[in-house]
Amino acid sequence: MSAIRFRVARLVAAATVPIFGVATAHADVITDWNTKTGELLVESKLGTPPAIRVLALVQSAAHDAVQATGREGSIDAAVAAAHRVALTKLLPAQQAAIDAAYQAALAAVADGPAKAAGIATGERAATTLLARRAVDSVASADTYRPHTSAGAYVPTASPAAFSWTQRSGWGLASPSQFRVAPPLALGSDGWARDYNEVHEFGAKNSTRRTTEQTEIARFWEYSLPPIYTGVVRSAAAQPGRDVAANARLYAAAAQALDDAMIAVFDAKYTYNFWRPATAIRNGDIDGNDSTQRDATWAPLIDAPMHPEYPSAHATLAAAIGAVLKAEFGPQVALATSSPTARGATRRWATVDDFVREVGESRIYAGIHYRSSVDAGAAMGRRVGELTASRVLGTDPARLAAQPMRTAGN
């Protein structure tokens, strides 16, 4: 078996780098509030799917506020007010921190009619957006039915986000719109390749995984929104961009992440495919002579509590990547930092390098197979392109022109 494909990305010491994204010299009100929103989401201790949902609602409200602000109003005040209304509704436990950030933002805006008009516009935009998205609710009851036989013990922790496909997407016609083909057949040569690759490179005690591959896996162990919005921020910091362009970009990125999350959980719970830790400890029952059981095998990082196929991280990264390509083209300097890598920063010269690394990190981590990474990247790209066509105005014909890569091809 050939070694895992590897793309070099420099790892930089993070002593002077903020924990939630790379510092930029061209910050604006959208970027500043995005950073604050990320901090509030982390403090709220939401899981990744609900945190991404909140991010999409907040960034969309901010975008609407910028668009609605006329020449007589203050954009800074409008964006601050939109954030206050949306965040207060969505993260009520963070009320004190939200109010403090809002008051600090308004203190930097000169008093007068423009400030008052901006506040009114921002409040109206957020209220309207939240009312329009009121149907986007997550089932309050967890209806997941554990797979078992009468009387048999199974682990009692419920999988995450089982009801996520009941949500209304931003642009998806349905959660299954871009559903990928099924996972590889267990008797296939492709399955054996995937199995043996993650068995060797993803084990906690792997001797094949390099030091940098381990660093990559640890870096992308983090999944909350700031690690992805840091990537967006690094591109948005380019000179010559204005608040309106960045408001549109952040809204597109957040909506793409949210729709990607809906799409990936649709596929995960449709196929219900086993994680490497389950498969490798049961390698003698998959009907494939090229997979050998390893009774004590464990992954480098603990697997998330939901089915394996396809990779959510690969899906999210590709969705963000498609939005960034639509806005900047394939070659753009990107960077972000990660708390699970002690604040370290990684950098990429192209969008594809970024997307590829995120996907391969999950193989190094021992929680995904290569075909799952490829399928997630294919699905995420379609979601991101759809979002770009809606929010950024790119040509939707690209969706039909580019083939879909799935586990089967």
Side-chain angles (χ1 to χ4, degrees):
M1 182 185 67
S2 61
I4 288 181
R5 297 189 305 272
F6 178 67
R7 299 296 185 272
V8 175
R10 291 173 295 172
L11 187 62
V12 182
T16 60
V17 180
I19 200 79
F20 299 121
V22 179
T24 68
H26 303 284
D28 58 26
V29 64
I30 292 292
T31 298
D32 291 344
W33 271 105
N34 175 264
T35 301
K36 172 54 66 176
T37 298
E39 293 170 356
L40 293 169
L41 287 171
V42 172
E43 288 297 320
S44 71
K45 294 181 169 52
L46 290 178
T48 298
I52 285 176
R53 172 180 176 267
V54 169
L55 178 73
L57 290 165
V58 171
Q59 294 299 155
S60 298
H63 176 233
D64 289 354
V66 170
Q67 285 194 311
T69 303
R71 293 183 179 180
E72 304 303 319
S74 164
I75 286 181
D76 286 9
V79 171
H83 276 85
R84 184 188 65 81
V85 170
L87 287 168
T88 299
K89 174 70 174 179
L90 298 166
L91 301 176
Q94 302 299 315
Q95 183 71 62
I98 295 166
D99 287 345
Y102 176 65
Q103 293 302 329
L106 286 189
V109 181
D111 291 333
K115 182 176 184 177
I119 292 172
T121 298
E123 291 177 346
R124 185 166 54 250
T127 300
T128 301
L129 183 282
L130 292 173
R132 188 168 71 246
R133 297 291 302 181
V135 295
D136 173 22
S137 60
V138 181
S140 58
D142 177 7
T143 60
Y144 178 77
R145 183 171 183 170
H147 299 270
T148 187
S149 58
Y153 168 79
V154 296
T156 53
S158 293
F162 178 71
S163 61
W164 219 242
T165 56
Q166 298 177 23
R167 294 186 50 224
S168 300
W170 294 88
L172 293 175
S174 72
S176 62
Q177 181 176 355
F178 298 125
R179 185 188 294 169
V180 291
L184 295 171
L186 297 183
S188 67
D189 291 341
W191 164 247
R193 287 193 301 270
D194 273 8
Y195 178 107
N196 289 316
E197 180 180 43
V198 72
H199 179 231
E200 294 185 26
F201 285 89
K204 185 183 289 291
N205 60 353
S206 172
T207 59
R208 295 289 304 277
R209 188 178 57 243
T210 68
T211 299
E212 182 148 6
Q213 288 168 345
T214 300
E215 291 169 348
I216 289 170
R218 292 295 188 191
F219 188 96
W220 290 106
E221 185 176 356
Y222 198 72
S223 62
L224 286 174
I227 200 166
Y228 283 110
T229 53
V231 176
V232 177
R233 190 175 307 122
S234 65
Q238 293 188 25
R241 294 184 60 80
D242 60 21
V243 172
N246 282 347
R248 186 170 58 248
L249 174 65
Y250 278 94
Q255 290 181 23
L257 285 174
D258 202 20
D259 273 359
M261 194 62 85
I262 293 171
V264 80
F265 277 107
D266 165 79
K268 281 180 178 290
Y269 285 108
T270 294
Y271 297 123
N272 204 46
F273 201 59
W274 56 2
R275 291 278 182 179
T278 308
I280 293 170
R281 289 191 178 212
N282 289 282
D284 56 339
I285 66 170
D286 64 3
N288 195 315
D289 293 338
S290 297
T291 61
Q292 300 299 315
R293 179 177 185 246
D294 186 338
T296 62
W297 191 90
L300 175 64
I301 70 172
D302 293 335
M305 286 295 296
H306 47 73
E308 187 274 338
Y309 181 86
S311 164
H313 247 332
T315 305
L316 296 175
I320 285 284
V323 169
L324 293 176
K325 276 188 176 181
E327 184 81 349
F328 301 100
Q331 290 190 306
V332 56
L334 302 174
T336 194
S337 58
S338 170
T340 54
R342 302 178 301 280
T345 296
R346 294 192 68 82
R347 304 180 185 277
W348 307 270
T350 72
V351 173
D352 286 345
D353 286 346
F354 153 67
V355 173
R356 186 182 300 110
E357 177 179 294
V358 176
E360 292 194 341
S361 75
R362 309 311 263 175
I363 302 170
Y364 307 149
I367 60 176
H368 279 299
Y369 315 102
R370 183 168 296 280
S371 57
S372 180
V373 167
D374 291 344
M379 185 166 64
R381 173 174 58 82
R382 300 298 289 271
V383 172
E385 288 180 343
L386 177 64
T387 307
S389 72
R390 290 187 307 102
V391 183
L392 302 179
T394 57
D395 184 3
R398 292 172 55 195
L399 287 173
Q402 295 181 321
M404 180 80 145
R405 286 187 64 201
T406 67
N409 59 26

